[in-house]
Amino acid sequence: MAKPFRVLVGTFFFQFWILFMGLAGYMIYRLIVYRETWNVVLFIVTMILQVNYVKSELFIKFQLWFKMMEWFDKREIVEVEKPKKSNSMFCFHPHGIYSMGMVHNLYTKNTFFENLVVLSSRFALSIPFSGLLLTLFGLEGVHPENLTKLLKKGSNVGIMVGGFEEATLTKYGENRVYIKGRKGFIKYALRFGTTIYPVFTFGENNMFYTYNGFQSLRLWLNKFKLIGTIYWSRFLTIPEPHTEMITVCGKGIELPKIENPSKEDIDKYHQIYIEGLKELYDTYAPKYAPKVPLQIF
């Protein structure tokens, strides 16, 4: 299926995020190995300047004009029920390589994405240049102070619960989530009585081929915020276009308000969340990922 010219240009433009991340990595390499004074100054100044930048509506309109969602042959957003417009947490799976299910759907009109504050790690937002693009696009830090502020005022937030580890586990043709050891989001949701929605994007793990050896080593690297993925497509770092990207927002899980939740409280509702995610997957997998079981790590 031929793609409109501006979709091709927009998809190519999106690759600047990857280019800038590579440039930041090279700067860090020069900083550590050669200890160049100019490099240290440039690195620090760039990070400081990025702290002062915020979401830019002009930049978002510029991005939307390219209609990058049309790069994929099929896109669909399914809502099992109409989500609440406030005090909700949308937990996205799987992370995949680029988190296209969340990023590309972010400004789709008339869906739960429309009033969502998407959160990312402080590490990703602080990377010189590439972090700036994420900030201008509207992503905010998922650190405790910001998450507390947003939930306290009843915002709807979106988070990638599986983080770097879930990205590392990405494998073409399989659906994997990293959730067993991720309980912090439950603790914060309990503190504010926030409703949690499991969200799954079918097709996210089929956008790239990945190297899957040395999995334990790559997961260990994630502990130090180091990337543990090696990926490619027929178009290098551009995702496969013949991917069906179906994002399903599951049933809301109502949590009670417990200011100081105990370990037992957190464990209880964490298990309820996992069951809710499994229910969503088992309901829609026969249609969107037949004979592909959900692997939970």
Side-chain angles (χ1 to χ4, degrees):
M1 184 185 299
K3 307 297 180 183
F5 179 73
R6 66 174 173 177
V7 174
L8 295 174
V9 173
T11 302
F12 177 78
F13 178 79
F14 187 81
Q15 298 303 298
F16 276 91
W17 181 76
I18 303 301
L19 178 64
F20 287 152
M21 182 171 285
L23 178 60
Y26 179 70
M27 288 174 65
I28 294 173
Y29 164 75
R30 302 283 301 190
L31 189 156
I32 295 174
V33 176
Y34 299 104
R35 299 185 182 180
E36 298 166 324
T37 303
W38 69 267
N39 200 354
V40 175
V41 173
L42 177 61
F43 197 85
I44 294 176
V45 169
T46 302
M47 293 183 70
I48 292 174
L49 288 175
Q50 285 185 194
V51 171
N52 296 320
Y53 278 89
V54 294
K55 178 180 179 180
S56 168
E57 295 297 337
L58 181 62
F59 181 77
I60 291 170
K61 288 180 180 178
F62 172 70
Q63 290 276 314
L64 292 179
W65 182 84
F66 290 112
K67 296 186 177 180
M68 287 187 293
M69 281 286 290
E70 294 185 13
W71 173 253
F72 300 101
D73 285 352
K74 182 178 180 180
R75 297 86 53 201
E76 187 177 347
I77 298 175
V78 179
E79 296 175 353
V80 175
E81 62 184 25
K82 197 64 179 177
K84 293 183 176 179
K85 294 184 177 180
S86 63
N87 195 27
S88 298
M89 181 184 292
F90 296 85
C91 302
F92 290 83
H93 303 275
H95 186 290
I97 302 300
Y98 291 166
S99 304
M100 288 292 192
M102 181 165 69
V103 175
H104 269 210
N105 285 322
L106 187 53
Y107 294 100
T108 305
K109 297 296 183 182
N110 302 317
T111 72
F112 69 93
F113 282 95
E114 200 164 14
N115 66 336
L116 201 60
V117 180
V118 174
L119 304 181
S120 179
S121 71
R122 261 196 296 208
F123 175 78
L125 294 174
S126 63
I127 296 174
F129 313 121
S130 63
L132 175 60
L133 294 180
L134 296 178
T135 300
L136 292 176
F137 201 61
L139 274 67
E140 298 184 17
V142 73
H143 53 276
E145 297 83 3
N146 193 43
L147 183 56
T148 298
K149 180 190 74 174
L150 290 168
L151 293 180
K152 184 178 290 187
K153 67 179 184 180
S155 299
N156 278 0
V157 300
I159 61 174
M160 301 298 305
V161 177
F164 277 18
E165 288 81 1
E166 200 165 270
T168 295
L169 292 170
T170 299
K171 185 176 181 180
Y172 187 90
E174 297 186 11
N175 284 322
R176 300 173 166 186
V177 296
Y178 186 88
I179 187 64
K180 289 182 179 179
R182 290 294 166 87
K183 300 181 181 180
F185 71 103
I186 296 291
K187 179 176 70 175
Y188 284 94
L190 283 169
R191 285 178 178 174
F192 297 96
T194 302
T195 299
I196 297 182
Y197 292 88
V199 182
F200 196 94
T201 297
F202 293 91
E204 182 79 59
N205 281 351
N206 292 335
M207 295 180 186
F208 293 97
Y209 301 98
T210 57
Y211 173 73
N212 299 109
F214 300 101
Q215 180 174 291
S216 297
L217 173 61
R218 291 184 293 112
L219 287 171
W220 178 77
L221 290 174
N222 293 155
K223 295 180 180 180
F224 305 97
K225 302 301 180 183
L226 296 175
I227 297 172
T229 59
I230 300 174
Y231 64 94
W232 67 93
S233 74
R234 291 174 298 161
F235 310 101
L236 302 178
T237 58
I238 297 175
E240 291 286 343
H242 304 305
T243 302
E244 295 187 355
M245 189 170 67
I246 314 296
T247 300
V248 183
C249 178
K251 295 179 182 178
I253 301 170
E254 301 276 355
L255 267 62
K257 186 174 182 179
I258 306 174
E259 291 190 10
N260 295 298
S262 65
K263 181 181 181 300
E264 290 73 22
D265 293 327
I266 295 170
D267 288 344
K268 173 184 175 181
Y269 287 100
H270 180 258
Q271 186 58 40
I272 290 174
Y273 174 79
I274 291 178
E275 293 301 323
L277 177 61
K278 288 169 61 179
E279 179 184 351
L280 181 160
Y281 187 88
D282 292 342
T283 300
Y284 288 89
K287 181 177 181 180
Y288 299 122
K291 298 181 180 179
V292 179
L294 180 64
Q295 299 179 49
I296 300 177
F297 290 79

